Amino acid sequence: MAKPWPVALAVGLLSAQANVLEGWNMESIYRDIDMYIPSMNSSDVEYPKCEVPAGSGEFTGICIKQHRLKSMMTFCRDTVDYDACVPPHQPLFPEWNVTTKDALLRRLYKEQVEFRISVEMNITVDNAPVIRFTQNSPCLEAFRKVLCWFNFPRCSTSNVSMPLCRTACSNYYQSCKYEKIGAEYDACKDEVVKTKGLFESGLTGTTDVLLDQCFLEDGTGDCCTGSSALSLLSAMLGALLAAHLW
């Protein structure tokens, strides 16, 4: 006996299902789902979406003009001097916004700096830690700026989040007195970033990219975030990047 074609089987199943459902009270089967439709929209719904962090594929931020951001930040105010990708207003999580994220970065920065300095001051016969942060204002400033640049990436004119500039990496290692062998610090080389992550954080993926400083084709801005000649501690920054603060 020949087997029925798949289409014939499907038609037969549908016919059988129709016979079973005949006479049922359909209102008892199908429910009104209007109650599941959100009754509120974000006040930022009209702003263009962007990735946080840059290159992650997670469009959880919105591009905001620089002049609007100044009143929302204190810790990163002078560093984020560009249109940036920031947390939008979310009716379900109203406490999470630009100001909250900025304050979180301030707290984590303070904790990590105090911890690192305590380690550097704990000098014994058997332990002589490398001095990075202690009495090194350029390194502390570089650390702060890279945290801000990474967590509030630049938005291009087409509302694309821009990865960190390679100069941001180089200036950190220079300011914090790391040894450089050759033309570039090892941690800032593409092959190291690819295998060990940004600042050797151990996180690898599409977000772990450094771009050389350049300018957009239309001349309207930089093609990466943090192109200023400013500088950052490897293990500590790596730990903060690994925390996924976005």
Side-chain angles (χ1 to χ4, degrees), residues 13-60:
L13 290 173
L14 289 174
S15 298
Q17 184 180 28
N19 292 333
V20 172
L21 293 177
E22 185 177 358
W24 282 22
N25 180 3
M26 302 308 292
E27 292 184 358
S28 66
I29 300 176
Y30 298 103
R31 297 182 179 180
D32 186 359
I33 62 172
D34 287 347
M35 63 179 294
Y36 298 107
I37 299 176
S39 57
M40 295 183 296
N41 290 324
S42 169
S43 57
D44 295 327
V45 68
E46 295 183 359
Y47 286 93
K49 295 184 293 184
C50 52
E51 298 170 291
V52 184
S56 64
E58 301 291 337
F59 289 85
T60 57

Side-chain angles (χ1 to χ4, degrees), residues 22-142:
E22 185 177 358
W24 282 22
N25 180 3
M26 302 308 292
E27 292 184 358
S28 66
I29 300 176
Y30 298 103
R31 297 182 179 180
D32 186 359
I33 62 172
D34 287 347
M35 63 179 294
Y36 298 107
I37 299 176
S39 57
M40 295 183 296
N41 290 324
S42 169
S43 57
D44 295 327
V45 68
E46 295 183 359
Y47 286 93
K49 295 184 293 184
C50 52
E51 298 170 291
V52 184
S56 64
E58 301 291 337
F59 289 85
T60 57
I62 55 172
C63 286
I64 293 291
K65 294 295 183 182
Q66 175 187 350
H67 70 272
R68 281 199 60 200
L69 293 173
K70 293 300 182 182
S71 62
M72 302 178 186
M73 298 178 173
T74 54
F75 182 68
C76 293
R77 178 184 295 166
D78 64 332
T79 303
V80 183
D81 55 352
Y82 46 79
D83 298 348
C85 188
V86 302
H89 165 256
Q90 302 180 63
L92 297 180
F93 308 99
E95 299 85 5
W96 182 246
N97 51 40
V98 178
T99 303
T100 305
K101 186 172 184 178
D102 180 76
L104 174 61
L105 291 174
R106 176 193 294 275
R107 178 174 63 81
L108 291 173
Y109 169 83
K110 181 175 182 293
E111 291 174 357
Q112 293 298 318
V113 168
E114 290 176 349
F115 171 75
R116 175 62 196 184
I117 290 179
S118 70
V119 170
E120 294 179 359
M121 297 300 291
N122 185 28
I123 302 175
T124 65
V125 175
D126 300 320
N127 179 48
V130 178
I131 304 302
R132 306 284 188 200
F133 278 18
T134 304
Q135 296 184 341
N136 188 354
S137 296
C139 180
L140 296 177
E141 182 68 357

Side-chain angles (χ1 to χ4, degrees), residues 108-109 111-113 115-117 119-120 129-130 132-133 139 143 146-147 169 172-173 176 178 187 192 196-203 232-245:
L108 291 173
Y109 169 83
E111 291 174 357
Q112 293 298 318
V113 168
F115 171 75
R116 175 62 196 184
I117 290 179
V119 170
E120 294 179 359
V130 178
R132 306 284 188 200
F133 278 18
C139 180
F143 182 30
V146 173
L147 288 179
C169 180
Y172 158 62
Y173 284 100
C176 295
Y178 282 81
V192 176
K196 296 184 179 181
L198 284 174
F199 301 94
E200 299 184 302
S201 64
L203 296 174
L232 182 89
L233 196 176
S234 176
M236 290 169 43
L237 180 59
L240 288 177
L241 294 179
H244 287 241
L245 302 179

Side-chain angles (χ1 to χ4, degrees), residues 167-225:
T167 53
C169 180
S170 300
N171 287 325
Y172 158 62
Y173 284 100
Q174 179 181 353
S175 296
C176 295
K177 301 178 181 180
Y178 282 81
E179 182 181 2
K180 180 169 69 172
I181 301 176
E184 183 59 89
Y185 291 95
D186 283 347
C188 302
K189 296 177 180 178
D190 288 335
E191 57 270 25
V192 176
V193 173
K194 184 177 180 179
T195 56
K196 296 184 179 181
L198 284 174
F199 301 94
E200 299 184 302
S201 64
L203 296 174
T204 58
T206 55
T207 63
D208 295 283
V209 175
L210 291 173
L211 293 183
D212 294 311
Q213 185 176 355
C214 60
F215 298 94
L216 300 177
E217 292 181 359
D218 59 5
T220 56
D222 296 323
C223 65
C224 55
T225 304

